[in-house]
Amino acid sequence: MTSTKATPAPPAHPAAPQIPKTPTGIEGLDAITDGGLPTGRATLVCGGPGCGKTLLAMEFLARGALQFNEPGVFLSFEETARELTLNIASLGVDLNDLTRRKLLVLDHVRTDRHNPEASGDFSLDGLFIRLGHAIEAIGARRVVLDSVESVFDGLPNRLILRAELRRLFGWLKDKGVTSVITGDGSDRALTRHGLEEYVSDCVIELAQHTVGQASSRRMRVIKYRGSTHGSGIYPFVIDPSGIVVLPITSKGLAHAVCDDRVSSGIADLDTMLGGAGYYRGSSVLVTGSAGTGKTSLAAQFCDRACARGERALYFAFEESSSQIIRNMRSIGIDLAQWVDKGLLRFQATRPSFAGLETQLMLMYTAVKSFGPQVVVVDPLNGFLIGDNVDEVKFMLMRLADMFNTSLITGLFTSSGIGDHANGSHEASISSLIDTWLILEHLEMSGERNRTLSILKARGMPHSNQIREYVLGSSGVHLSDVYIGPRGVLTGSARMTQQAQEQADALLTQNETERLRLAIASKQRALEAKIELLRDELSLQEEQARRIIGLEESKARQLQQDRAAMGIYRTRVAPAAPGAKHEAGPEQP
Amino acid sequence: MKLVQNNPEGRAGPSGATDLAAYALRLYIAGQTPKCRAATINIKTICETYLAGNYKLEVIDLVDNPALAASDQIVAIPTLVRTQPLPVRRIIGDLGNTERVLAQLDLVPRPA
């Protein structure tokens, strides 16, 4: 016992009994609510006018009928059945058909027209009977009361109405139908008449925000009794398929990483990035002021990706696709071929065309449908309208998350326009970025030249060098920069430096050659001298040898002469000149 | 289906033809709740007092005819609808306040 007390005992059991849920079928919403709305209970959907309450409610019924075979009753207090049918038809749902198939009952409750006079006590039994009749007619499992608060406009005596609505919600629960009740919100309260006091199992708030000139829609689950739910503010859009909610951000950071690398499209840059380029699924930020070549870098990235047979999606927020294609042709990048082959898709919109969330959703759906390996967002800073850095950061986080989990390599460009405030914007998003490349203008000797450096590259050794970034006639390449006495040299200064070095080298080479020749000639001269001496030596040697030989033969002669003379003396001494005959007697 | 209480007991009005009655009224109720019973009694009294022989009153119980609730746009119970003369007038409640009912029906209260 004591030991169990000591442990904190986390109650988070994976198999904890969840309350039963009814899926809405709306993409994303079921994810946020961990499976849908509470079955057999009422959910309050509140928000200001035009934020999509009716659509959400209608989609709940239509998808219930079509996807889950659960018939539904739509009690509309505002729009007529005809208006509703027309409005929803734009999303491709034919309510008349659903009605014919007994999957839907549309009832328009007119409360505002007659403004009846009250004389005494009354009840809303008429409404109960209508609803009950409709539910029974088709065996409805889902019910929508769209702006039930309108009864307060049409009928007198708020006290009675409040009591009656409370009774209505209890009655719906007893019926076991899953209901959606919409209510108009105001600044002060979720609903005008405090419906949230009665409908409190699940409350979802929809809102429409306007930032700058763009509006965006958001959704928030305020409460959900007996269930976990996402607690963030989720963007949603109304697109031709209905409401799409982006369930943001993976809850954790547990996405699998990939060791696979993707070429940056520039061989030299790959070399700088540990020799292999970016990690697949990572996010790359390219910052630089206007004209530093961000788009070119992005275009080359796409171009090479397409050349490898990958698919690339290019979100352009400043230029149209044809502009980009034309401009890139000038540096020898032919993007049109990839567009024709279906490997490259441009999605060009003005950032102010829609709110951040809408843009995000559009990007989300485009990525989902195209399935690219490479995505370019060019540029990000179009979204920085006013003071919405945090929102842009949030959006970037979602994008980066999405790319990460789908192993898409994302390249974002951003122009700081050289001002420090924007620089700090970039700093605030930098934590989401895996690789950050900086493109800069270097102004020197009457020129502007582009340079590229790597500010960070998570998880890989990378070059610390500033390289010159050259937009050539066959794309982008990097060239080595020259470090001169005044810092890094680029452009013609670099060329001058190069020429200078070449000249220097030539000079040195000449000098060496000259020295070498001099040495050689000296050597030759010396060798000649040596030869001469050697000749002389051998001459002298020869002479000496000859003299020595002469002397020797002289001495021998003398000895012979003496011997012959001796013989001669011992015998009859012949005449001295007969020396030639000396040998005569020895011969025989 | 409709519980028609039309000029009870052949007490024909001056015109004699009930179909041409100047006043056509419908009272929607839901079951025999105290409110509904009170409304039924109240409207009958008013009609007999002010419109004797010149009215047609239908009392419609939505419990028996639930479909009529939607087609006749009934929310509150009881609801009295004056369909003739035009314009259509609606009064909700148990009709206990005779003066209000008369005002809505464009009838001049008779001094008691």
Side-chain angles (χ1 to χ4, degrees), chain B residues 9-20:
Chain B
E9 269 69 74
R11 272 225 263 150
S15 67
T18 54
D19 284 9
L20 299 173

Side-chain angles (χ1 to χ4, degrees), chain A residues 66-125:
Chain A
L66 293 168
Q67 293 176 14
F68 307 104
N69 201 29
E70 292 196 349
V73 173
F74 194 103
L75 218 53
S76 166
F77 293 80
E78 284 177 344
E79 292 171 275
T80 65
R82 197 180 129 73
E83 284 166 347
L84 275 172
T85 308
L86 275 176
N87 295 349
I88 303 301
S90 65
L91 298 182
V93 176
D94 183 359
L95 293 187
N96 289 329
D97 176 57
L98 289 180
T99 310
R100 269 194 301 277
R101 286 158 58 191
K102 292 207 173 294
L103 287 168
L104 179 73
V105 170
L106 261 183
D107 186 5
H108 175 221
V109 179
R110 244 183 292 158
T111 52
D112 49 334
R113 290 271 181 83
H114 306 291
N115 251 325
E117 193 73 17
S119 170
D121 214 3
F122 66 93
S123 71
L124 292 184
D125 276 336

Side-chain angles (χ1 to χ4, degrees), chain A residues 252-479:
Chain A
L253 284 171
H255 37 243
V257 294
C258 186
D259 286 337
D260 203 8
R261 302 284 276 264
V262 181
S263 167
S264 64
I266 303 168
D268 299 318
L269 181 53
D270 290 347
T271 313
M272 289 175 78
L273 292 164
Y278 314 125
Y279 278 114
R280 190 174 290 283
S282 69
S283 304
V284 182
L285 178 66
V286 181
T287 60
S289 54
T292 43
K294 299 181 295 295
T295 301
S296 306
L297 191 84
Q300 181 139 332
F301 180 48
C302 288
D303 180 66
R304 299 298 189 269
C306 290
R308 291 192 300 269
E310 296 180 3
R311 294 158 82 84
L313 187 55
Y314 198 116
F315 293 104
F317 294 109
E318 260 174 12
E319 296 170 280
S320 72
S321 57
S322 47
Q323 257 175 314
I324 293 175
I325 289 172
R326 181 200 64 194
N327 297 347
M328 290 308 118
R329 202 176 287 137
S330 75
I331 58 166
I333 299 175
D334 179 13
L335 294 176
Q337 54 172 330
W338 307 124
V339 175
D340 293 343
K341 284 184 185 154
L343 289 172
L344 175 63
R345 185 187 286 174
F346 280 98
Q347 187 153 317
T349 47
R350 282 269 166 215
S352 55
F353 142 81
L356 274 185
E357 274 77 14
T358 313
Q359 292 283 9
L360 183 64
M361 292 301 311
L362 290 172
M363 290 165 86
Y364 178 79
T365 44
V367 166
K368 282 261 154 156
S369 69
F370 190 62
Q373 282 81 39
V374 160
V375 172
V376 169
V377 180
D378 179 33
L380 269 183
N381 50 296
F383 294 108
L384 287 167
I385 303 164
D387 197 22
N388 63 348
V389 194
D390 288 346
E391 287 155 65
V392 173
K393 181 178 178 181
F394 211 46
M395 165 170 137
L396 189 68
M397 179 162 55
R398 289 171 188 158
L399 273 180
D401 259 358
M402 173 174 71
F403 292 167
N404 224 318
T405 46
S406 341
L407 286 181
I408 295 169
T409 312
L411 189 144
F412 307 89
T413 73
S414 171
S415 66
I417 324 165
D419 111 18
H420 290 292
N422 271 325
S424 68
H425 290 175
E426 282 157 9
S428 74
I429 58 176
S430 73
S431 57
L432 308 167
I433 290 294
D434 300 306
T435 305
W436 188 351
L437 305 180
I438 292 196
L439 296 177
E440 279 170 309
H441 275 311
L442 213 61
E443 196 182 330
M444 166 177 280
S445 6
E447 298 184 339
R448 281 178 175 279
N449 291 298
R450 301 178 178 91
T451 62
L452 181 148
S453 55
I454 301 170
L455 191 70
K456 75 178 211 184
R458 279 181 184 152
M460 60 177 83
H462 54 274
S463 166
N464 62 352
Q465 284 189 343
I466 296 178
R467 302 284 294 270
E468 186 172 356
Y469 174 78
V470 184
L471 303 180
S473 57
S474 58
V476 176
H477 68 269
L478 302 179
S479 78

Side-chain angles (χ1 to χ4, degrees), chain A residues 141-291:
Chain A
R141 307 289 315 132
R142 301 176 179 213
V143 166
V144 168
L145 305 181
D146 189 25
S147 282
V148 72
E149 281 181 311
S150 299
V151 297
F152 287 100
D153 302 331
L155 296 172
N157 200 333
R158 299 179 54 159
L159 275 178
I160 291 179
L161 290 173
R162 286 172 75 91
E164 285 295 288
L165 283 186
R166 188 189 292 269
R167 187 162 71 92
L168 178 66
F169 300 141
W171 178 82
L172 280 172
K173 242 183 204 180
D174 292 344
K175 287 263 173 199
V177 291
T178 307
S179 51
V180 168
I181 288 141
T182 68
D184 276 321
S186 68
D187 297 337
R188 294 184 308 279
L190 291 174
T191 59
R192 286 181 296 154
H193 297 278
L195 284 185
E196 59 273 21
E197 288 173 32
Y198 322 131
V199 188
S200 44
D201 287 316
C202 179
V203 179
I204 297 173
E205 186 186 32
L206 308 183
Q208 199 165 16
H209 288 256
T210 310
V211 178
Q213 294 175 353
S215 77
S216 55
R217 299 169 193 277
R218 294 161 189 201
M219 180 181 291
R220 182 163 72 107
V221 178
I222 294 177
K223 71 189 278 187
Y224 198 147
R225 272 193 192 153
S227 167
T228 54
H229 60 84
S231 56
I233 295 178
Y234 302 90
F236 72 96
V237 288
I238 296 172
D239 76 356
S241 69
I243 288 179
V244 185
V245 187
L246 181 63
I248 329 191
T249 58
S250 37
K251 287 170 189 159
L253 284 171
H255 37 243
V257 294
C258 186
D259 286 337
D260 203 8
R261 302 284 276 264
V262 181
S263 167
S264 64
I266 303 168
D268 299 318
L269 181 53
D270 290 347
T271 313
M272 289 175 78
L273 292 164
Y278 314 125
Y279 278 114
R280 190 174 290 283
S282 69
S283 304
V284 182
L285 178 66
V286 181
T287 60
S289 54

